Amino acid sequence: MRNVFVLNVGSSSIKYQLLDVEDGTVHGEGVVERIGLKGSGVADHARALEVVLEELPDVPIDAVGHRIVHGGTRFVQATVIDDAVEREIEALADLAPLHNPPGLAGIRAARAVLTDVPHVAVFDTAFHATISPAARDYAIDAEVAARTRIRRFGFHGTSIGYVSRIAAQLLGRERDPELRLVVLHLGNGASAAAVLGGRSLDTSMGMTPLEGLVMGTRSGDIDPAIPLYLAREHGYTFAELDELLNKKSGLLGLAGRSDMRELVNAANAGNERATHALDVYVHRLRHYIGAYAAELGGIDAVVFTAGVGENSSYVRRRAIAGLEFLGLSIDSERNNASSREPRYTSPDGSPAAVLVIPTNEELEIARETREAASR
């Protein structure tokens, strides 16, 4: 089994890639957008998939990997899809109402057309199934938590799993159960993870992707009484609170813009809101690096990945500055160099490494799809 067709389905889009899992060759990739919207010409996900298959090169498809955001407590690894698995994914829709239903629509469309190959669901939450009970559970009424499935799940699992594996290779410690990594997936959505020996020990996102780091438009950690106060004293509805915390907060809320390059340029030009937003952003990053150093009992490497993590030398420099007591430091020339390859940004001989590893979620989904289909 070599060629895996990877599907990442949104409510009005399908992002796809057909790749050779052996050598990473991409045979075809693209995106279909505005599915089901007026004037798009693509009525639904079934028609969109037909369009995609018409555009793919004549390469045999050996398996289909579906990115599914939420696996709940049921799915802790990539899973071959049958009708029962479909029903269970559907039952998890309340935990990820914006993501699981379109993912399921993609599964149904693809299974109806590609009937002779295995289909595998790869879950963002699965990598974090190993987090400790102390990190997993919130301090609320245990019966309420159990009945309503409130707990930390974590996200970005395929990305964090991929870069953790590449980091171990880069460090020459592929099978070391004691390898201690802090992985920072920094994009518009952002999360941190403590990874011990390739297994997630803790992660910053919680029951939803709202918890944790400051993000492009999401608040990250706040006092949980703030939404109650806004509702009680200022009349905010549930919908308005959702909009505020998920779409109008984070860097956008602090500075009126969420693009990191624009923020850094504005801060360098003396914009006080941009400077303050970056201060808050970096403060939260350093908070989690320190917390995870305590949980791991030290750090062997900090790994930066995703759009901001891979491309912002400013964020990397400020996040690591002053952490020499943890063995961490930055080499300015290495940090400022541009490359799409996994690389060190720390000086030679540093007690702990600082790495930049471009993520490849499609390749990780393809790899997990092959493993699941071969079990």
Side-chain angles (χ1 to χ4, degrees):
M1 180 181 296
R2 294 190 62 135
N3 299 316
V4 177
F5 183 37
V6 175
L7 290 174
N8 185 349
V9 180
S11 59
S12 61
S13 67
I14 292 180
K15 182 180 178 184
Y16 65 91
Q17 194 172 99
L18 176 59
L19 69 160
D20 185 328
V21 74
E22 292 287 339
D23 60 18
T25 299
V26 177
H27 298 298
E29 62 182 331
V31 61
V32 179
E33 298 180 298
R34 296 182 54 78
I35 297 170
L37 301 181
K38 185 177 180 180
S40 72
V42 182
D44 53 29
H45 288 87
R47 176 55 190 148
L49 186 62
E50 291 176 5
V51 172
V52 168
L53 292 173
E54 290 167 3
E55 294 177 350
L56 285 178
D58 187 20
V59 174
I61 294 174
D62 298 319
V64 183
H66 298 264
R67 178 192 178 235
I68 303 296
V69 166
H70 218 303
T73 58
R74 163 66 176 83
F75 298 107
V76 297
Q77 61 182 353
T79 303
V80 175
I81 299 168
D82 57 20
D83 291 346
V85 169
E86 272 195 23
R87 289 191 294 271
E88 292 188 65
I89 292 173
E90 185 173 26
L92 293 168
D94 62 324
L95 291 176
L98 299 180
H99 297 94
N100 272 31
L104 183 59
I107 287 172
R108 287 171 171 160
R111 289 185 73 204
V113 177
L114 299 167
T115 59
D116 297 328
V117 298
H119 291 251
V120 174
V122 180
F123 300 91
D124 276 8
T125 53
F127 181 75
H128 299 298
T130 56
I131 62 176
S132 68
R136 178 194 68 203
D137 294 335
Y138 295 109
I140 67 169
D141 182 277
E143 189 278 327
V144 172
R147 174 166 47 83
T148 58
R149 296 180 293 179
I150 292 175
R151 50 158 286 180
R152 184 181 306 282
F153 288 101
F155 300 88
H156 293 142
T158 52
S159 173
I160 293 168
Y162 173 81
V163 300
S164 296
R165 183 162 48 83
I166 301 302
Q169 294 172 4
L170 195 61
L171 294 165
R173 299 177 63 177
E174 294 176 65
R175 294 176 177 80
D176 186 349
E178 302 302 320
L179 177 60
R180 303 165 300 180
L181 303 176
V182 174
V183 179
L184 302 173
H185 176 109
L186 306 179
N188 188 52
S191 67
V195 181
L196 179 63
R199 294 163 60 86
S200 181
L201 189 68
D202 199 353
T203 189
S204 60
M205 284 182 168
M207 179 180 172
T208 75
L210 183 59
E211 188 178 0
L213 301 176
V214 174
M215 302 174 227
T217 64
R218 296 180 191 139
S219 65
D221 294 337
I222 63 169
D223 183 334
I226 290 172
L228 304 178
Y229 165 77
L230 290 173
R232 183 181 66 248
E233 302 296 335
H234 296 277
Y236 276 70
T237 66
F238 290 132
E240 288 170 336
L241 289 169
D242 190 5
E243 178 87 2
L244 173 68
L245 297 177
N246 279 293
K247 297 181 180 179
K248 295 182 177 179
S249 295
L251 294 172
L252 181 66
L254 288 168
R257 64 188 89 190
S258 60
D259 184 274
M260 183 58 70
R261 289 163 296 188
E262 292 181 9
L263 276 166
V264 172
N265 289 338
N268 288 337
N271 184 293
E272 292 184 3
R273 285 187 68 189
T275 298
H276 178 62
L278 291 170
D279 287 346
V280 176
Y281 183 92
V282 170
H283 175 84
R284 194 77 57 82
L285 280 179
R286 292 164 61 83
H287 170 87
Y288 273 96
I289 292 171
Y292 289 164
E295 287 193 52
L296 291 163
I299 296 176
D300 295 309
V302 171
V303 184
F304 289 89
T305 193
V308 173
E310 295 167 26
N311 296 303
S312 180
S313 58
Y314 173 94
V315 167
R316 294 192 298 264
R317 173 177 58 81
R318 287 203 57 194
I320 299 301
L323 299 184
E324 289 84 3
F325 72 99
L326 293 175
L328 297 165
S329 59
I330 285 277
D331 180 285
S332 295
E333 184 175 348
R334 288 179 173 179
N335 188 46
N336 292 330
S338 179
S339 173
R340 289 297 302 161
E341 298 299 318
R343 63 195 187 276
Y344 285 80
T345 61
S346 48
D348 291 337
S350 293
V354 180
L355 307 177
V356 178
I357 299 179
T359 192
N360 191 333
E361 293 179 83
E362 288 79 14
L363 182 57
E364 181 67 13
I365 290 169
R367 188 184 70 83
E368 292 190 35
T369 294
R370 180 176 66 173
E371 287 184 1
S374 302
R375 287 188 198 116

